[in-house]
Amino acid sequence: MTLATAYVCVLIAAVLPYLWVAIAKASGERYDNRDPRRWQERQQSQRSLRASAAQLNSYEAFAPFAAGVIMAQLAGVPHAQIGTLSVAFIVFRILHGLLYVSGRHLLRTAAWFAGYACVIWLLVQAALNITV
């Protein structure tokens, strides 16, 4: 794995919330673009509500992941390790969203923890590898 792989993963993580919101919009009643937030609040479809929640969770996960990749690079963590952790993070985040949308809460939580562990590992490695 290369650092370019990790950067592509950051790009994927930045775009991933829009996949879940597209599913939310497609799973609900006829979408109203004039008032999207209230439209989402009125939805009765559990799939639409879960997809919207997956979108919000993806936004929350993005910043720590991107920071972890950048910090690990700046600290001199081997690029192969950064790339591997980045790919694992993306796999777990996609799995998390799919499990969220399908309503499998225990597996979703496990995928969330696994993705978060990748972020923590990136941050820990950055902290351990920094040279003053």
Side-chain angles (χ1 to χ4, degrees):
M1 302 268 174
T2 66
L3 194 57
T5 302
Y7 284 4
V8 169
C9 289
V10 171
L11 174 62
I12 293 168
V15 173
L16 202 51
Y18 300 100
L19 169 64
W20 308 129
V21 76
I23 292 171
K25 290 175 182 178
S27 300
E29 298 170 13
R30 188 162 189 251
Y31 180 65
D32 179 6
N33 195 43
R34 289 172 292 202
D35 195 5
R37 294 183 192 270
R38 285 199 198 143
W39 174 87
Q40 186 61 56
E41 293 170 1
R42 291 189 306 266
Q43 295 312 296
Q44 299 297 314
S45 164
Q46 290 300 304
R47 180 182 168 109
S48 178
L49 295 171
R50 289 190 305 262
S52 178
Q55 174 204 20
L56 296 175
N57 192 274
S58 290
Y59 284 131
E60 294 164 359
F62 175 73
F65 170 62
V69 169
I70 293 166
M71 289 172 58
Q73 178 196 5
L74 292 173
V77 175
H79 293 175
Q81 186 177 17
I82 299 170
T84 300
L85 287 166
S86 297
V87 168
F89 174 81
I90 292 299
V91 168
F92 289 127
R93 290 305 304 176
I94 291 171
L95 187 58
H96 171 267
L98 292 172
L99 292 166
Y100 214 140
V101 170
S102 67
R104 297 183 171 184
H105 61 95
L106 294 176
L107 291 173
R108 176 197 83 213
T109 300
W112 182 90
F113 272 112
Y116 192 61
C118 294
V119 171
I120 295 299
W121 193 251
L122 282 166
L123 295 169
V124 167
Q125 289 303 303
L128 295 175
N129 282 285
I130 195 71
T131 55
V132 180

